[in-house]
């Protein structure tokens, strides 16, 4: 049986089994045993994924695979042949596993080609003929029956013997407007022809997917190698590949995040210049911000050395926290000199750092304590995004806090006197 309205639109050849693991067992060993059992069934295309990875991959490409090469074109046979060529080309790349071409085969299909001139001579249209043939072969819903608070469709359908017999279909009587009956074979040509079991279209073109997963290799390296080899093949006019999956999504997200981050930093610097009225203070803050990311880089390296989307979000977060604490410290220095009339020097620098010690430590401590459980649990299933983000933020908090408490006051003492004086004179 199959649900009438499922959460995914898939054919009867597809199913998913969700397995929950006891937290007390060894995760890697248990997953390896499950993989061994799944691999024992020949002829199946299978992917063993966590829930989060499976959902992310399906949202990105519609396929539960790490790398997807989507081939577009007009003719399905050409697409299948070229997909097999891509499959052979990619199969030699180290780290590629579960490589497969989207299963599309030819199945027997009854084709009815109406003879327009003959049909018109009997006063019939192609629509009349196709509706009658569809009712016999596929069935037509004519109503509903309600019983026990449930509705059941009432369908008119030909008997199985007639549906599977081409000669019986040719003898199917079609009623004309005059009330006479004409055999379907006199109005149309009927034949059983091979037809694709599934035709998928996207961007106004037919398409087929070649998918694979990775094991023991870097995603970026393998994805670039696949792209290089596929683009090295020759494609007829009107046929072209598209590269999708985690790597393509990560590249797109990273580029978008970098552009938005650059625009945000530029906007922050402009607002700071409007407030401080000193380019030296703005540059002082702007040039010290990258030092706050050193801890994030160290955290990413210790957690595997892979920059994921979660890591990129962590870097942006660290940058924002460092900028906030730096602005708070510089503003307090300006307040001490301009409002409290304390002369610029070492006492002012020490007093400002001391009075801002508690707010800076509280900001870092609250964020660190919130992220510490994620770091302690490690890169477990379900934390594929949160874990690298937490590691980067935690490492960045350490260096950004040290920056604002030690490096920023030193730089302010060395370069800030003239800047504060200029801002004071402008006020």
């Amino acid at each position: 049986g199959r649900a009438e309205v499922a959460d995914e639109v898939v054919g009867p050849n597809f199913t998913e089994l969700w397995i929950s693991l006891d937290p007390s067992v060894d995760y890697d060993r248990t997953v390896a045993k499950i993989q061994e059992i799944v691999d024992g069934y020949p002829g199946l295309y299978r992917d063993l994924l966590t829930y989060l990875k499976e959902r992310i991959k399906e949202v990105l490409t519609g396929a539960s695979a790490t790398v997807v090469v989507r081939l577009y074109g007009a003719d399905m046979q050409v697409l299948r042949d070229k997909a097999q060529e891509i499959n052979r080309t990619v199969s030699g790349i180290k780290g590629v596993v579960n490589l497969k071409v989207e299963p599309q085969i030819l199945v027997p299909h009854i084709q009815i080609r109406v003879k327009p001139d003959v049909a018109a001579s009997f006063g019939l249209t192609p629509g009349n003929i196709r509706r009658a043939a569809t009712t016999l072969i596929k069935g037509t819903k004519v109503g509903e029956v309600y019983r026990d608070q449930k509705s059941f469709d009432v369908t008119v359908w030909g008997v199985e013997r007639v549906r599977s017999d081409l000669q019986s279909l040719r003898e199917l009587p079609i009623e004309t407007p005059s009330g006479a009956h004409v055999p379907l074979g006199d109005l149309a040509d009927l034949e059983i022809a091979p037809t694709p079991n599934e035709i998928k279209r996207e961007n106004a073109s037919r398409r087929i997917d070649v998918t694979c997963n990775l094991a023991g290799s870097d995603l970026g390296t393998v994805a670039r190698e696949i792209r290089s080899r596929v683009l090295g093949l020759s494609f007829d006019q009107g046929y072209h590949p598209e590269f999708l999956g985690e790597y393509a999504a990560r590249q797109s997200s990273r580029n978008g995040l970098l552009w938005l981050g650059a625009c945000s930093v530029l906007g922050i610097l402009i607002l700071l210049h409007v407030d401080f009225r000193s380019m030296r203070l703005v540059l002082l803050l702007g040039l010290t911000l990258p030092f706050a990311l050193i801890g994030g880089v160290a955290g990413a390296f210790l957690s595997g050395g892979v920059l994921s989307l979660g890591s990129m979000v962590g870097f942006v977060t660290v940058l924002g926290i460092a900028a906030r604490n730096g602005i708070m410290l510089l503003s307090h220095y300006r307040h001490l000199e301009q409002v409290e009339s304390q002369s610029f020097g070492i006492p002012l620098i020490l007093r400002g750092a001391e009075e801002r010690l508690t707010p800076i430590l509280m900001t870092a401590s609250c964020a660190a304590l919130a992220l510490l459980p994620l770091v302690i649990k490690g890169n477990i299933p379900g934390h594929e995004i949160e874990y690298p983000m937490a590691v980067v933020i935690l490492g960045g908090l350490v260096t950004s806090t040290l920056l604002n408490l030690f490096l920023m006051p030193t730089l302010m003492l060395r370069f800030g006197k003239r800047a504060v004086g200029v801002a004071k004179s402008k006020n």
Side-chain angles (χ1 to χ4, degrees):
R2 197 167 183 84
E4 292 184 2
V5 182
D7 59 343
E8 296 183 35
V9 182
V10 294
N13 61 314
F14 176 87
T15 187
E16 292 178 349
L17 299 177
W18 293 106
I19 304 172
S20 299
L21 302 183
D22 191 326
S24 62
V25 303
D26 184 277
Y27 178 80
D28 294 331
R29 184 179 301 175
T30 305
V31 171
K33 290 182 179 180
I34 296 174
Q35 184 70 62
E36 181 181 355
I37 295 174
V38 172
D39 292 339
Y41 291 88
L44 297 180
Y45 296 107
R46 61 267 179 185
D47 293 313
L48 186 59
L49 305 169
T50 62
Y51 180 83
L52 182 59
K53 284 186 176 180
E54 193 268 345
R55 285 293 180 245
I56 292 176
K57 290 179 179 180
E58 286 195 346
V59 169
L60 293 178
T61 63
S64 57
T66 302
V67 179
V68 178
V69 181
R70 182 160 294 172
L71 186 61
Y72 295 91
D75 187 271
M76 284 304 302
Q77 186 58 46
V78 177
L79 285 177
R80 282 194 291 270
D81 294 341
K82 188 56 82 173
Q84 292 296 336
E85 183 180 357
I86 294 175
N87 183 78
R88 292 190 296 270
T89 302
V90 174
S91 61
I93 299 177
K94 181 181 179 181
V96 171
V97 296
N98 297 332
L99 176 63
K100 64 177 181 287
V101 178
E102 187 175 3
Q104 293 185 3
I105 62 174
L106 297 177
V107 295
H109 183 74
I110 298 176
Q111 292 186 354
I112 301 177
R113 296 187 178 89
V114 179
K115 303 174 183 176
D117 296 338
V118 178
S121 65
F122 287 98
L124 296 171
T125 64
N128 300 136
I129 299 173
R130 290 195 177 94
R131 278 192 293 271
T134 300
T135 300
L136 181 68
I137 301 171
K138 185 180 178 181
T140 300
K141 179 181 175 180
V142 296
E144 294 179 345
V145 173
Y146 296 90
R147 180 179 298 173
D148 298 332
Q149 297 183 350
K150 297 180 181 179
S151 63
F152 301 89
D153 294 339
V154 178
T155 303
V156 176
W157 197 14
V159 296
E160 184 178 358
R161 177 183 59 81
V162 176
R163 298 197 308 266
S164 58
D165 187 357
L166 196 61
Q167 183 59 36
S168 299
L169 293 177
R170 291 193 178 99
E171 298 173 356
L172 171 67
I174 304 296
E175 186 175 2
T176 64
S178 63
H181 292 82
V182 182
L184 177 60
D186 294 343
L187 301 173
D189 294 325
L190 282 76
E191 64 176 352
I192 297 179
T195 306
N197 67 321
E198 183 179 31
I199 297 178
K200 293 185 177 180
R201 303 184 68 90
E202 190 172 325
N203 299 326
S205 177
R206 293 182 178 182
R207 56 94 168 173
I208 188 172
D209 289 346
V210 180
T211 61
C212 67
N213 291 326
L214 273 65
S217 296
D218 176 65
L219 173 60
T221 302
V222 176
R224 287 190 292 269
E225 178 68 17
I226 292 175
R227 182 184 182 90
S228 175
R229 291 197 181 189
V230 172
L231 292 180
L233 302 175
S234 61
F235 293 92
D236 297 335
Q237 185 176 4
Y239 295 83
H240 68 278
E242 182 180 359
F243 302 91
L244 306 171
E246 288 186 33
Y247 180 72
R250 189 180 72 180
Q251 292 294 100
S252 177
S253 300
R254 186 192 68 177
N255 294 337
L257 196 60
L258 289 176
W259 276 107
L260 291 175
C263 293
S264 300
V265 171
L266 180 61
I268 291 173
L269 295 179
I270 292 175
L271 292 176
L272 289 177
H273 185 266
V274 172
D275 181 49
F276 288 146
R277 299 182 183 180
S278 170
M279 184 58 68
R280 176 170 292 200
L281 287 180
V282 174
L283 293 177
L284 180 63
L285 178 62
L287 294 177
T288 55
L289 288 180
F291 290 99
L293 303 180
I294 295 177
V297 174
F301 178 78
L302 294 176
S303 62
V306 178
L307 290 180
S308 63
L309 183 59
S311 302
M312 300 296 293
V313 174
F315 281 117
V316 174
T317 304
V318 170
L319 200 64
I321 294 175
R324 174 191 178 277
N325 290 338
I327 293 170
M328 182 170 58
L329 186 60
L330 293 180
S331 297
H332 192 59
Y333 284 143
R334 187 178 61 171
H335 172 81
L336 292 177
E337 186 170 11
Q338 295 180 1
V339 178
E340 300 189 16
S341 301
Q342 183 172 352
S343 60
F344 190 89
I346 294 180
L348 180 141
I349 297 299
L350 293 178
R351 177 186 172 187
E354 181 181 355
E355 291 179 353
R356 284 294 172 262
L357 174 63
T358 301
I360 291 176
L361 290 179
M362 286 297 297
T363 300
S365 300
C366 290
L369 290 174
L371 297 172
L372 197 58
L374 292 173
V375 178
I376 293 176
K377 287 186 177 181
N379 192 16
I380 61 176
H383 291 175
E384 290 86 353
I385 296 178
E386 291 88 345
Y387 174 73
M389 180 183 66
V391 171
V392 169
I393 294 178
L394 199 61
L397 285 174
V398 175
T399 53
S400 65
T401 302
L402 295 176
L403 165 73
N404 286 288
L405 292 179
F406 296 98
L407 181 60
M408 182 65 75
T410 304
L411 294 176
M412 184 65 182
L413 180 63
R414 175 64 179 83
F415 301 104
K417 181 177 181 180
R418 181 180 175 185
V420 175
V422 172
K424 183 178 181 181
S425 62
K426 290 182 178 179
N427 290 332

